[in-house]
Amino acid sequence: MKKVDKVAEIKPVDFSGGVRGKHCESYRRGHTVKIGHDGYLTEQLGHKSDRNERLLKQALVEQPDNGYYYYQLGKEYENTHFCDQASDNYAMALDRVPKTAGFRHDLVVRAIYAFKQARRFDAALTLIDRKEWDASPDFHFAAGDALLDFALAYPDKAP
């Protein structure tokens, strides 16, 4: 019986589309698939982030009320430590994303963190007071972190 080198049979998959592309080929079940992704390697991040920012801004020109694009742009800015821009985009997303959206929880938690990082404590406290995700440990962790920084920055105003 001849041994088949499965690695030699692997062919790369191309993706098309904007920031969240889809693969161009269809695959049937039963095939061995090796998945690799180099998009988060240090040498790729700068290029990828610049590209994503450009694509998301263009998408917002075409669909200015799309909260998901603001959310994704906020994540791009958060990943590159631009806290003011991240908090601005999360604020825009919060106004546009329905409370039933599958990513709303992540948006709320990220927004609290970004507001804290940008020292926009008023926005963080307002969002915390809504108690939109009161049953979530992540919500309470982000809220506690923001409240601690607020108390340290303004001890006379701390709740």
Side-chain angles (χ1 to χ4, degrees):
M1 183 156 79
K2 182 179 176 183
K3 182 179 177 188
V4 177
D5 184 4
K6 295 290 184 187
V7 176
E9 295 178 19
I10 296 173
K11 64 179 184 171
V13 177
D14 290 322
F15 288 80
S16 67
V19 177
R20 302 287 176 246
K22 297 189 175 161
H23 61 84
C24 300
E25 300 179 35
S26 63
Y27 290 92
R28 293 173 292 158
R29 291 183 183 190
H31 290 276
T32 302
V33 177
K34 179 181 178 185
I35 298 177
H37 188 317
D38 66 353
Y40 292 99
L41 297 176
T42 304
E43 58 269 13
Q44 300 286 345
L45 285 177
H47 170 71
K48 181 179 179 179
S49 183
D50 292 343
R51 182 207 64 203
N52 289 354
E53 180 183 356
R54 183 176 31 80
L55 291 170
L56 288 164
K57 284 182 175 181
Q58 179 58 42
L60 282 167
V61 167
E62 297 166 10
Q63 297 180 48
D65 289 326
N66 189 317
Y68 181 74
Y69 292 146
Y70 284 106
Y71 162 72
Q72 288 296 337
L73 190 53
K75 286 172 55 175
E76 289 299 323
Y77 286 129
E78 183 182 347
N79 289 337
T80 54
H81 308 289
F82 288 101
C83 304
D84 291 333
Q85 292 92 330
S87 66
D88 290 344
N89 281 278
Y90 287 148
M92 297 291 280
L94 286 166
D95 291 340
R96 290 163 174 78
V97 172
K99 292 186 179 186
T100 57
F103 60 95
R104 178 75 184 195
H105 174 264
D106 188 59
L107 169 60
V108 169
V109 171
R110 286 177 179 273
I112 292 169
Y113 177 76
F115 292 150
K116 176 199 85 126
Q117 290 295 100
R119 304 189 61 76
R120 292 178 58 187
F121 294 115
D122 56 334
L125 293 173
T126 299
L127 187 52
I128 292 166
D129 284 344
R130 289 186 199 162
K131 297 183 179 176
E132 193 174 315
W133 289 95
D134 201 37
S136 163
D138 294 334
F139 171 82
H140 286 285
F141 182 86
D145 187 37
L147 290 169
L148 177 60
D149 278 20
F150 175 75
L152 292 171
Y154 303 99
D156 55 316
K157 296 181 183 179

